[in-house]
Structure formats: structure tokens, C-alpha cells
Amino acid sequence: MDEVQYRETYHSVNERRCHFEKTINARVCTCRHMRRFNLADREGVGCTHPEAHQNCADWLRALRQASCFALSQPNPVDILPHRLEAKVQAGGLLGLAKLVDNAAHVDDISGLLDRSLERYGNVSDIPMQDIVTAVAEYEPRQRKKRQEPDPE
């Protein structure tokens, strides 16, 4: 399956792509509204709840904007390279979990965002200083290097 065909099929089977798909697929966080599926040899994650999907979009937008300097990006952007996006998603959620729940993991992204909004009112009122520090400090797991066969 070529990449264009894959993307077209992906969008036809996934009505609402999870904004934290990279983090969920990396097994860093989970969410009660996630719907996993397989397409070809890849895993995808969709969202089953429109309101939660919008909350996640708002949070991720604010997080990208607040993290620009820490990521050495001159301006907020909607599309980041994979490694930087993984830092923003996972580091941001883990930083938020520490701020809101004093927890070191996230079992339910939507629940965490709901608790954050209950406490702070809206996304723009969440104190980002410690969260951006968590983004900067987060290191995605490294890919395993292929072992070269012994020349013997």
C-alpha cells in the first residue's frame, strides 16, 4: 500500500483521529475515549467522544504554543517533526498530571483534561511553566538499533 492510499484509507476508517495518537501508540498514556484499530501493518487511534476530542485539540494547541522556545521553534506550528511532537504530547501530559494530580503517569487523558479544566477554568489559565519544563526534559524512547550480523 503506497502512502497516499494509506492516508486516504486511514481517514475513511478514522472519523476523529486522536490528537495524542503518538503518545498512546508509544504506550506512555491511555484514554477512556480511545479506539484502537489496525490498518495494514500500523496501529491507529481514534476518539469516540467529540467534546473530549475538542478539549484535547485546545490543550495540544496551547501546549505547542507554550513550548516553542523550549523546542527551539521560532513560532508555534501545527506540524512538528515526529520526535518533537512526541516530546510535546507525552511531556505535556506528564507535566499536567504532575501539576493536577501529583502523579507520574496518565491513565486517562480525557479525565486529566477534565480535572484540569475544573481546577483552572480553561486551557489558557493552566500554569504552563512547569509543564513546559516537563516537555523539555521528556525524552522519547530510542529505537533499537539493528544488530549487524557477526562477520564470522
Side-chain angles (χ1 to χ4, degrees):
M1 179 180 287
D2 74 2
E3 200 60 29
V4 172
Q5 184 182 14
Y6 172 81
R7 285 191 185 121
E8 288 173 1
T9 305
Y10 180 95
H11 293 297
S12 72
V13 300
N14 192 8
E15 183 180 328
R16 275 185 298 276
R17 180 180 185 177
C18 175
H19 294 289
F20 294 99
E21 184 175 48
K22 286 177 176 41
T23 300
I24 289 172
N25 280 338
R27 309 299 195 255
V28 175
C29 302
T30 61
C31 183
R32 70 178 182 258
H33 298 302
M34 71 181 189
R35 180 184 61 83
R36 289 185 180 276
F37 63 93
N38 292 315
L39 181 59
D41 60 346
R42 302 181 201 176
E43 272 188 304
V45 181
C47 181
T48 62
H49 195 279
E51 187 179 318
H53 190 256
Q54 186 59 54
N55 287 344
C56 287
D58 295 343
W59 168 245
L60 190 55
R61 189 176 309 107
L63 190 56
R64 284 182 182 138
Q65 185 171 357
S67 300
C68 283
F69 183 76
L71 299 173
S72 300
Q73 297 292 310
N75 300 306
V77 293
D78 289 333
I79 299 173
L80 290 168
H82 180 84
R83 182 169 176 73
L84 293 181
E85 185 65 24
K87 285 178 75 76
V88 168
Q89 287 185 16
L93 288 170
L94 293 171
L96 186 62
K98 186 173 182 181
L99 177 70
V100 172
D101 297 334
N102 199 26
H105 57 86
V106 179
D107 292 327
D108 180 18
I109 295 168
S110 180
L112 174 63
L113 290 176
D114 289 345
R115 289 188 300 282
S116 301
L117 294 173
E118 284 174 20
R119 179 182 282 180
Y120 296 104
N122 61 53
V123 170
S124 62
D125 293 331
I126 296 173
M128 297 299 265
Q129 189 173 342
D130 293 334
I131 296 169
V132 170
T133 300
V135 168
E137 291 175 352
Y138 182 79
E139 286 301 322
R141 67 180 178 171
Q142 298 290 321
R143 282 189 176 192
K144 291 182 181 178
K145 291 184 180 182
R146 285 189 192 165
Q147 289 187 350
E148 298 296 322
D150 265 343
E152 295 177 30

